[in-house]
């Protein structure tokens, strides 16, 4: 995003730095032949500004408009701080350089809005730290895209001023274009294994949910159910990881071991989360344990689908609804199948 008064174009065309807030400085269109007064040609979208053509007098803005621009400025400054904190923990030099470049450009953009607000750009440090922490846990690509989603809501008031302050519309368009270009330069290995993690999680949810639901009425004892589920879960984890390894090897992939590890880890973590209610509940509260387990299933599906929706730009609601319908449907079928087997076989726990 390049608001008026920022970038190399401003200093080059204007012969020096733009005026500071309170000195009568005004935002300007790019100074090109087409943009000269009386040319009638519109300024190019996203181009760097330069001195010479008045756009809007900051003094003419209402207090509400200034507050909206100030919130916009704070949002950009917060993003700059977040990108810089993310870059500090990225090992790959190419990704780190790209994140630092984004941080520097956004910091310059935030400073340029001072001519509208009359105040320096100050980031919300707590929010920037939160995004940096998310990046360390879930990957910087997820954090960056999550930040992009949140900023659109946060900047709604400022975008409503586009007719009054055209620089906002141009800045948003420029930021979108530049964001796509820079995101294309980022290469995070974690995203290449999202498919393997989703595969492991999805298989575990369907298989272990069905197993535990079927065992609940068949055994009617949380300890026995947990023991049976644990044995099934360990065997299924090893089987799933081995299958992923063999599939990757047959495709000639050099990362077969890593894909196997991600798939197995996702499966094992899901098994542990689903077994916890049965391990923590008293023996006779097996129905309550099953109800909690099903609630955990919904939370797991929501978390994984939200992650993939943000990181890979996929629809959330439709995928989440489909996976819930499959997993809970299997659980219901297995529950009644367990009851049927208990009655037919005459098994008493």
């Amino acid at each position: 995003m390049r608001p008026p008064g920022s970038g190399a174009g401003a200093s080059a065309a204007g012969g020096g730095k733009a005026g500071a807030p309170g000195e009568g400085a005004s935002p300007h269109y790019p100074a090109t032949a087409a943009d000269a007064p009386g040319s009638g040609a519109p300024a190019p979208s996203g181009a760097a500004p330069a001195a010479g053509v008045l756009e809007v007098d900051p003094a003419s803005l209402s207090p509400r408009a200034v507050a909206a621009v100030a919130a916009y400025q704070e949002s950009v400054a917060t993003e700059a701080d977040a990108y810089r904190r993310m870059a500090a923990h990225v090992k790959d030099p190419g990704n780190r350089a790209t994140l630092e470049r984004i941080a520097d450009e956004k910091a310059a953009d935030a400073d340029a809005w001072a001519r509208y607000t009359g105040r320096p750009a100050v980031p919300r440090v707590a929010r920037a730290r939160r995004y940096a922490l998310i990046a360390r846990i879930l990957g910087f690509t997820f954090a960056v895209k999550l930040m992009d989603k949140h900023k659109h809501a946060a900047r709604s008031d400022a975008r409503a001023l586009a007719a009054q302050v055209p620089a906002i519309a141009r800045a948003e368009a420029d930021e979108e274009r530049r964001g796509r270009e820079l995101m294309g330069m980022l290469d995070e290995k974690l995203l290449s294994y999202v498919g393997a993690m989703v595969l492991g999680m999805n298989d575990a949810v369907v298989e272990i949910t069905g197993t535990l639901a079927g065992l609940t009425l068949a055994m009617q004892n949380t300890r026995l159910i947990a023991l049976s589920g644990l044995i099934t879960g360990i065997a299924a984890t090893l089987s799933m990881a081995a299958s992923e390894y063999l599939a990757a090897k047959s495709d000639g992939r050099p990362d077969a071991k890593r894909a196997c590890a991600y798939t197995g880890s996702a499966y094992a973590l899901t098994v542990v989360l689903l077994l916890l209610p049965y391990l923590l509940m008293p023996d006779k509260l097996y129905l309550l344990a099953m109800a909690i387990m099903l609630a955990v299933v919904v939370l797991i599906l929501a978390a994984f689908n939200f992650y993939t929706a943000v990181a890979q730009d996929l629809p959330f609601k439709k995928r989440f609804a489909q996976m819930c319908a499959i997993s809970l449907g299997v659980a219901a079928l297995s529950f009644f199948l367990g009851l049927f087997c208990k009655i037919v076989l005459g098994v008493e726990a």
Side-chain angles (χ1 to χ4, degrees):
M1 176 176 59
R2 284 289 178 218
S6 67
S11 58
K17 294 183 179 180
E23 296 177 359
S26 301
H28 305 90
Y29 287 115
T32 65
D35 299 322
S39 68
S45 174
V53 184
L54 178 67
E55 182 185 64
V56 61
D57 183 2
S60 67
L61 298 179
S62 67
R64 182 176 180 180
V66 172
V69 176
Y72 192 99
Q73 179 189 31
E74 181 187 74
S75 173
V76 178
T78 301
E79 288 184 42
D81 191 24
Y83 275 110
R84 190 163 286 110
R85 292 174 185 275
M86 291 180 200
H89 298 285
V90 173
K91 295 181 179 180
D92 181 81
N95 288 331
R96 183 169 60 250
T98 300
L99 291 171
E100 289 174 346
R101 173 186 166 188
I102 300 173
D104 291 340
E105 292 185 357
K106 285 185 176 291
D109 292 347
D111 289 337
W113 286 107
R115 63 172 52 210
Y116 285 94
T117 62
R119 67 186 71 172
V122 179
R124 298 184 65 173
V125 177
R127 180 173 296 178
R129 286 176 176 171
R130 183 167 66 249
Y131 283 125
L133 178 61
I134 291 173
R136 295 185 70 178
I137 298 173
L138 300 175
F140 60 80
T141 303
F142 174 81
V144 167
K145 291 189 175 183
L146 182 64
M147 188 162 52
D148 283 342
K149 287 183 178 294
H150 288 170
K151 80 180 180 185
H152 287 296
R155 298 180 182 180
S156 59
D157 289 342
R159 285 197 300 272
L161 297 172
Q164 188 176 359
V165 186
I168 291 177
R170 292 200 303 276
E172 285 284 282
D174 187 37
E175 184 176 79
E176 291 294 329
R177 172 191 57 78
R178 193 174 60 192
R180 288 193 298 268
E181 292 174 354
L182 293 176
M183 283 301 297
M185 297 169 60
L186 293 171
D187 179 25
E188 187 171 23
K189 292 182 179 179
L190 177 63
L191 283 184
S192 61
Y193 298 105
V194 167
M197 290 188 292
V198 170
L199 176 65
M201 178 277 302
N202 191 46
D203 266 32
V205 165
V206 174
E207 184 173 351
I208 303 303
T209 298
T211 299
L212 294 176
L215 293 173
T216 296
L217 277 187
M219 294 186 169
Q220 299 183 3
N221 184 296
T222 57
R223 294 296 180 270
L224 293 176
I225 298 168
L227 177 60
S228 301
L230 181 60
I231 294 172
T232 302
I234 292 174
T237 298
L238 297 176
S239 174
M240 192 69 198
S243 296
E244 178 66 18
Y245 175 79
L246 293 174
K249 288 292 287 184
S250 64
D251 291 339
R253 290 168 52 187
D255 61 342
K257 291 182 179 179
R258 181 167 292 184
C260 160
Y262 275 108
T263 303
S265 298
Y267 199 108
L269 177 60
T270 305
V271 169
V272 171
L273 292 176
L274 296 183
L275 285 176
L276 276 178
Y278 291 94
L279 293 172
L280 298 177
M281 291 289 105
D283 294 352
K284 298 303 180 182
L285 295 182
Y286 50 88
L287 290 178
L288 177 59
M290 188 183 74
I292 297 175
M293 182 267 294
L294 294 177
V296 171
V297 166
V298 174
L299 292 176
I300 291 174
L301 293 177
F304 268 87
N305 277 280
F306 178 73
Y307 179 86
T308 55
V310 172
Q312 298 184 324
D313 297 317
L314 297 173
F316 170 75
K317 292 183 179 179
K318 183 177 180 180
R319 288 167 56 87
F320 174 61
Q322 288 176 341
M323 294 184 71
C324 280
I326 293 173
S327 300
L328 298 180
V330 169
L333 182 61
S334 300
F335 180 83
F336 290 109
L337 181 61
L339 177 60
F340 175 78
C341 292
K342 176 180 176 63
I343 295 173
V344 170
L345 299 177
V347 177
E348 294 293 338

